[in-house]
Amino acid sequence: MNDQNPEPATTEHYIGIGELARESGCKPETVRYYEQIGLLPSAPRNEGNQRRYTTATIRRLTFIRHARDFGFSVEAVRELLQMADYPAMPCEEVDTLAKRHLAEVEARLARLTSVRDELQRMINQCAGGSVGQCHIIDVLSDHRLCHQTGPHGGADVIG
Amino acid sequence: MNDQNPEPATTEHYIGIGELARESGCKPETVRYYEQIGLLPSAPRNEGNQRRYTTATIRRLTFIRHARDFGFSVEAVRELLQMADYPAMPCEEVDTLAKRHLAEVEARLARLTSVRDELQRMINQCAGGSVGQCHIIDVLSDHRLCHQTGPHGGADVIG
DNA sequence: GTAATACCTATAGTCACTAGAGGTTCAAGT
DNA sequence: ACTTGAACCTCTAGTGACTATAGGTATTAC
């Protein structure tokens, strides 16, 4: 993950931000954003002030993108990157981070599942009449009509 | 009790923003925010410029809170509220909105489930060695090690 | 009367980007 | 060599849905 070499050791092929973005599955804006917040090191520039990357950066960015896809926060990704940068370190911390994240994901899954069940139930009961008799509106108006016992969890958990 | 209500039809009991918030499960700040963006109408004020609510507002706010809990966006909630305000309307639109939302929820569920499986698999394979051999880092570094075929979906879908 | 609590407005901050304005540089074709 | 057009640059502001803070006023309990 240590990759910012403006020195071309051989005729190594440098890529621009567009290709880097394509290769790693994000947008150039996002790459610049990641550089800005320090997830990526400042890229070396060519004569015309444009960022030049090596293929090593594709790997680092893929790592970031992948971790984000897994739902890790940017701060968690920052920690993961730091760990990955020191491969001799024991992986306990990484493991802990992943386990904590798994717990969060499972909690979300549980809530989202109950939301799905409730939505399905609401839709199935809709007789196609007027809004006044609509079960969807009913359920949303009155918590007691829910099959769930507690709250569904904050909206932030889902959306 | 300085009870100068805007509309004292009878001795109906008006409540403050704190009680409204408690009753409906959100914070006073959120109530004011909802008023600001027009999800709640401007509340009448007492002599001291403080918002006074009737119990009807508890229901409306509960509706909003509930719909948000179900993952509906604020804009969707706005639409739902408009529909609920006209009970004679056919509920087709409400139904459509709910169904569209169900589809989104199901897509999220699918992605979140695959993320959970992957995280679990990663954690199970971690032998507790050094970061260099850690499967978690491996999986995050290299997309090909994933059991999933495609991308997991954007981070916005999950977190 | 006083002290604690609840309330008010207005503004800025959060997260993780995304979009736009307004300019410069690069690569390809003529 | 010139021209077009895509890609790139910086800087700033906007998104969604709140949340927090500062600095004040009102209400309530004792």
Side-chain angles (χ1 to χ4, degrees), chain A residues 1 59 62-63 65-72 80 83-84 86-91 94-95 98-99 101-102 105-106 108-109 112-113 115-116 118-120 122-123 126 128-132 134 136-137 139-143 146 152-155 158-159, chain B residues 59 62-63 65-72 80 83-84 86-91 94-95 98-99 101-102 105-106 108-109 112-113 115-116 118-120 122-123 126 128-132 134 136-137 139-143 146 152-155 157-159:
Chain A
M1 292 285 155
R59 280 207 308 281
T62 302
F63 181 102
R65 188 80 233 136
H66 215 156
R68 294 282 305 121
D69 282 350
F70 272 67
F72 287 95
L80 284 169
M83 297 180 203
Y86 298 97
M89 254 181 57
C91 71
V94 186
D95 201 43
K99 277 180 179 158
H101 187 61
L102 176 62
V105 165
E106 276 176 341
R108 281 181 210 191
L109 259 180
L112 205 50
T113 301
V115 164
R116 186 207 46 198
E118 202 58 46
L119 273 170
Q120 235 155 18
M122 289 195 319
I123 289 164
C126 181
S130 67
V131 168
C134 185
I136 296 169
I137 296 283
V139 171
L140 292 176
S141 297
D142 188 351
H143 199 82
C146 268
H152 300 284
I158 297 159
Chain B
R59 281 207 307 280
T62 301
F63 181 103
R65 190 76 233 140
H66 215 156
R68 294 281 307 119
D69 282 350
F70 272 66
F72 287 95
L80 284 169
M83 297 178 203
Y86 298 96
M89 258 181 57
C91 71
V94 185
D95 201 43
K99 276 178 179 158
H101 186 62
L102 176 61
V105 165
E106 276 174 341
R108 280 181 212 191
L109 259 180
L112 205 50
T113 301
V115 164
R116 185 208 45 196
E118 202 57 48
L119 273 171
Q120 235 155 19
M122 288 194 321
I123 289 164
C126 181
S130 67
V131 168
C134 184
I136 295 171
I137 297 282
V139 172
L140 292 176
S141 297
D142 188 352
H143 199 82
C146 267
H152 302 282
V157 176
I158 296 158

Side-chain angles (χ1 to χ4, degrees), chain B residues 30-43 60-61 64 74-75 77-79 81-82 85:
Chain B
T30 311
V31 176
R32 282 191 284 263
Y33 171 69
Y34 284 161
E35 180 180 316
Q36 193 190 307
I37 64 170
L39 274 197
L40 289 176
S42 303
R60 190 180 183 91
L61 190 49
I64 295 170
V74 162
E75 282 320 298
V77 175
R78 207 188 291 279
E79 291 181 49
L81 278 169
Q82 250 181 31
D85 283 342

Side-chain angles (χ1 to χ4, degrees), chain A residues 18 32 45 49 51:
Chain A
R32 283 191 284 262
R45 309 295 182 105
N49 196 35
R51 291 168 180 85

